[in-house]
Amino acid sequence: MTAFLIRGTVLFEADDLIAELGGDPRTLLRSHHVDPAATRDFERFIHYEDAAAVIGDAARQLQCPDFGMRLARRQSIGILGPVGVILRNAETVGDAIDSVCGFLHNIVLADAAELIRMPQAAVYSYDTLLRNEYDRHQMVEKSMAVAMNAFRVMLGADFVPLKVTFQHRRMASLRCYREVFGRVPEFDAEINAVHLPLYALDRPIQDRDPAALALAENYLTRIRPDLAFAEHVREVTRRLLIIDHASLVELSKAVSLHPRVVQRRLAQEGTTFERVLDDVRRALAWELSATGAPVATVARALGYSEQSSYTRACRRWFGESPRQLRTRLRTPQPDPSDGPGEQELGGEELVLGPGEQETH
């Protein structure tokens, strides 16, 4: 998995909670390469997967299946830094949630959130990119509980959502969930979501500071993720292509995100899954053709059920048939040290790699 980073305050108060439950916080944190001091320093970063492992291990070792939610209840939205500033200073609740959803990927590359306005309700959904299933479920429950903290800051301490859903099975007692969300969630659902009444989005945020909002938005706009999500998708797609499972559905399963979230993240980076898949196929076609592999073998490796589909794609990519491409790549090229006097440059065709463009 790609080593995503997150601010250490994602584990704020984790040491105290671990100790209260009878654990050794320093040992547990350091076993996952987390400096205990980093959990109370907004300027320190830790690996996202390590943070999730701390929460997951604490839940298992201390027999506390609601550890993620308990930790969230001890944390204020102050741990969110500039995101917390937006929540307190946007014009309306809907504006605040929209902004957070838009900026979340900038500060936590592994996370994605979305606010969808339906005819009867507004649906806030959340997902995260983690391979360890149990750790992921703990992190999802923690993040959804943090979202509830934010909703109650904006809508009042007595706010109860219309519905709460989780993709995973129930891990803790129903009482634990009711204490956090005000109602019992639905499990084994399509998405992790909190359903809010539509009128709640229009509620103005009291005592807001427009100047603070502008500063927070300016700060978040300048942050760039440490690694493009599209590059991660490209890497996973290539592996899936090898086992003939390169589809949006299979890719989404591999990265533990809903297909709609995958497409939205790719769109934010100016691409689509279909374009990434096409680029991966193009690069692989070049590599395999250079080895002299039979055309039929290359077509199958690229996931084409019909050789004619590969032929059309090859002409689109390289302007020649698969056999012509293979012949060209297998033909010895002139030594670059040969000067124009030894090799007629004008009579040679320029050979471009799969990631190059001819300049004029």
Side-chain angles (χ1 to χ4, degrees):
M1 166 155 177
T2 303
F4 301 130
L5 297 177
I6 191 170
R7 293 188 185 274
T9 48
V10 68
L11 294 176
F12 182 70
E13 291 278 352
D15 51 356
D16 286 349
L17 180 56
I18 291 169
E20 288 176 16
L21 293 170
D24 181 343
R26 295 186 67 82
T27 298
L28 199 155
L29 287 163
R30 291 191 181 281
S31 71
H32 294 291
H33 318 290
V34 175
D35 179 355
T39 68
R40 296 177 181 274
D41 186 347
F42 187 75
E43 298 304 320
R44 296 279 298 277
F45 287 85
I46 60 179
H47 286 113
Y48 187 83
E49 197 168 32
D50 292 342
V54 167
I55 295 173
D57 260 10
R60 282 185 290 260
Q61 293 180 21
L62 305 174
Q63 298 182 345
C64 181
D66 64 326
F67 186 89
M69 292 187 292
R70 286 199 195 193
L71 182 57
R73 295 184 73 183
R74 301 169 71 107
Q75 298 174 337
S76 72
I77 64 172
I79 69 164
L80 302 176
V83 169
V85 174
I86 288 177
L87 292 169
R88 292 183 183 277
N89 295 287
E91 188 169 346
T92 67
V93 171
D95 291 337
I97 301 174
D98 281 332
S99 292
V100 170
C101 290
F103 285 122
L104 182 61
H105 182 57
N106 284 40
I107 56 176
V108 187
L109 187 61
D111 285 1
E114 188 172 19
L115 181 65
I116 301 176
R117 291 162 172 81
M118 308 291 283
Q120 303 300 322
V123 181
Y124 167 83
S125 63
Y126 166 85
D127 215 334
T128 190
L129 183 64
L130 283 167
R131 296 293 177 83
N132 184 298
E133 192 170 278
Y134 187 79
D135 294 353
R136 177 173 176 269
H137 297 167
Q138 284 289 333
M139 187 62 85
V140 165
E141 291 193 353
K142 175 189 180 299
S143 298
M144 292 280 279
V146 169
M148 280 301 304
N149 293 344
F151 295 149
R152 286 176 174 146
V153 165
M154 295 185 290
L155 297 169
D158 59 347
F159 168 72
V160 176
L162 301 175
K163 183 166 69 172
V164 178
T165 63
F166 287 107
Q167 291 177 307
H168 56 263
R169 295 182 179 180
R170 178 168 65 89
M171 298 195 297
S173 70
L174 296 180
R175 177 183 57 81
C176 293
Y177 292 104
R178 190 180 293 111
E179 287 177 354
V180 173
F181 299 101
R183 64 171 61 253
V184 174
E186 297 176 10
F187 299 93
D188 294 313
E190 182 182 357
I191 58 175
N192 308 304
V194 175
H195 294 237
L196 304 90
L198 284 172
Y199 66 80
L201 301 186
D202 296 326
R203 182 173 297 184
I205 294 178
Q206 302 298 319
D207 302 319
R208 57 185 295 267
D209 183 345
L213 175 66
L215 286 172
E217 290 180 334
N218 181 61
Y219 172 82
L220 291 169
T221 299
R222 290 185 282 109
I223 294 178
R224 297 191 61 83
D226 58 339
L227 179 68
F229 179 67
E231 290 304 312
H232 181 58
V233 169
R234 189 183 310 278
E235 175 189 335
V236 176
T237 299
R238 183 182 175 91
R239 295 200 301 266
L240 291 174
L241 196 58
I242 293 173
I243 60 174
D244 197 24
H245 287 325
S247 68
L248 177 60
V249 171
E250 293 300 323
L251 179 280
S252 300
K253 290 179 181 177
V255 300
S256 301
L257 291 173
H258 191 279
R260 184 175 64 246
V261 176
V262 171
Q263 289 287 46
R264 181 168 64 82
R265 283 195 181 185
L266 291 174
Q268 290 172 346
E269 297 185 18
T271 189
T272 63
F273 171 73
E274 292 73 22
R275 193 177 303 167
V276 170
L277 176 58
D278 191 64
D279 288 346
V280 170
R281 280 173 163 165
R282 181 175 187 261
L284 191 56
W286 181 277
E287 293 173 19
L288 293 176
S289 297
T291 69
V295 173
T297 299
V298 177
R300 285 194 299 272
L302 300 186
Y304 290 115
S305 57
E306 300 288 341
Q307 187 171 313
S308 58
S309 298
Y310 169 48
T311 298
R312 287 193 295 273
C314 190
R315 290 190 180 280
R316 173 167 55 83
W317 293 329
F318 308 114
E320 56 193 339
S321 71
R323 287 183 174 80
Q324 289 171 326
L325 174 65
R326 184 181 60 185
T327 299
R328 176 161 65 90
L329 295 179
R330 296 288 288 175
T331 300
Q333 299 299 311
D335 189 327
S337 64
D338 291 341
E342 299 179 46
Q343 179 68 41
E344 284 289 332
L345 294 180
E348 289 296 317
E349 180 181 7
L350 180 63
V351 179
L352 299 177
E356 300 174 325
Q357 292 183 343
E358 184 174 1
T359 56
H360 299 279

